[in-house]
Amino acid sequence: LRCVEAANRRPDREAAGAPAGAGAVHPAEAPAARPAPPTPAPAAGVAAPPEAMAEAVAPGPVRQVIARRMVESWTTIPHAWTMVEADVTSLVALREQVREAFQQREGFELTYLPFAIKAVVDALQEHPDLNASWGPEGRIVRYRHVNISVAVGLDEALMVPVIREAERLSVTGIARALHDLVRRAKQGRLTADDTGGGTFTVNNTGALGSVLSAPIINPPQGAILTTEAIQRRLVVLKDDQLAIRSIMNLCLSFDHRIVDGVQALRFLNAVKRRLEAFGPGVPLA
């Protein structure tokens, strides 16, 4: 999230009068007082003095790569940001309905992320300008396949393996591919082929409790979406009735050279509609 440094303001000077009483100098006889020179305001961005530092740690190679790519992204891509709320109450019911059988059959837990990725993949096929990048000579490059980069947070690094040709996969297929990539990322067994060629990034920040994010685009891609934590909230339904629903925020950062807010929100609402369409009885295969 961008941080804006507050401008330093010089405090107003207060007038100080001489105390009245014996021996006080009459104002008419007193020499004109010179105002004290103002205290210079500290310059913005000045580093703390060396004695205030606990330690200076050299970043590791992976952190250096992340730092370089994030600076490249932020300084070369004009980021824009938007968000919608998705009512995933029916999706929560579907997951509860199938999770035990899925665990027994597949050997791992079914999370909400495969559903979100499936919704993103289908929406990208409907809105291909979001599955694109700003290419050489100012051309927009649209990709034939939807290769979803998935951010995997580790203790010392952030890895972004890729689910290739995700448009060919069902929810179950995406869950299997995701489980394999996350497992190998944690084991340090990802290869260059596992992390290259992504066309759009999904980051499940909600797994760590986040409810709102403004993610930085993974260059040279044109957009990144975060799925936030599902919250139980009291909402007003269309018939003005009150109900407790499960709400997930969907946050999108996009390259404003490629699309404008109209196209970005059409895509984001397409993701929202697909997530809200999941419910008990919907097949996962």
Side-chain angles (χ1 to χ4, degrees):
L1 295 174
R2 297 190 292 271
C3 297
V4 181
E5 296 183 358
N8 293 294
R9 296 187 301 174
R10 180 182 301 170
D12 295 334
R13 301 189 187 97
E14 296 180 357
V25 180
H26 193 277
E29 301 171 352
R34 295 183 180 180
T39 302
V46 174
E51 60 271 14
M53 296 182 184
E55 60 178 338
V57 180
V62 175
R63 176 54 53 187
Q64 290 180 24
V65 172
I66 294 172
R68 184 174 66 250
R69 287 179 60 79
M70 292 301 96
V71 170
E72 172 194 349
S73 174
W74 194 253
T75 56
T76 62
I77 298 176
H79 283 60
W81 180 88
T82 189
M83 184 201 81
V84 299
E85 297 177 341
D87 184 339
V88 294
T89 306
S90 294
L91 169 59
V92 172
L94 169 60
R95 177 173 175 264
E96 287 301 313
Q97 179 188 66
V98 303
R99 64 184 303 181
E100 184 175 346
F102 186 94
Q103 175 88 42
Q104 293 176 353
R105 183 178 69 250
E106 300 293 336
F108 60 89
E109 184 181 8
L110 177 64
T111 67
Y112 293 107
L113 186 53
F115 296 97
I117 293 175
K118 178 61 175 173
V120 167
V121 169
D122 290 348
L124 286 173
Q125 292 183 283
E126 183 182 344
H127 301 276
D129 278 343
L130 274 295
N131 191 49
S133 64
W134 189 263
E137 301 178 359
R139 294 178 181 272
I140 296 174
V141 179
R142 297 189 184 98
Y143 297 104
R144 183 176 296 109
H145 295 294
V146 180
N147 297 335
I148 297 295
S149 300
V150 182
V152 179
L154 306 176
D155 289 340
E156 301 296 332
L158 177 69
M159 305 300 293
V160 192
V162 177
I163 301 175
R164 298 186 181 282
E165 299 186 19
E167 73 274 10
R168 302 178 184 271
L169 300 176
S170 64
V171 171
T172 297
I174 290 173
R176 289 169 180 162
L178 180 62
H179 175 72
D180 175 65
L181 289 171
V182 171
R183 177 176 54 84
R184 289 192 288 119
K186 292 180 178 179
Q187 295 171 349
R189 296 195 298 112
L190 292 177
T191 67
D193 289 339
D194 292 322
T195 58
T199 62
F200 186 99
T201 296
V202 175
N203 188 3
N204 184 27
T205 47
L208 296 175
S210 171
V211 296
L212 190 66
S213 302
I216 298 177
I217 296 168
N218 182 21
Q221 297 172 18
I224 178 173
L225 180 142
T226 60
T227 57
E228 305 297 331
I230 296 174
Q231 298 177 291
R232 298 276 288 166
R233 291 190 0 219
L234 184 66
V235 300
V236 181
L237 303 180
K238 291 182 179 179
D239 58 359
D240 290 338
Q241 296 297 311
L242 297 178
I244 297 176
R245 309 291 289 181
S246 295
I247 305 297
M248 174 193 288
N249 292 335
L250 302 172
C251 304
L252 178 73
S253 291
F254 58 94
D255 187 335
H256 215 323
R257 297 172 298 183
I258 300 174
V259 295
D260 299 322
V262 172
Q263 296 95 330
L265 277 166
R266 284 174 180 166
F267 160 75
L268 202 52
N269 278 296
V271 177
K272 167 189 167 81
R273 287 194 304 273
R274 285 166 170 80
L275 273 176
E276 292 179 343
F278 283 116
V282 173
L284 305 186

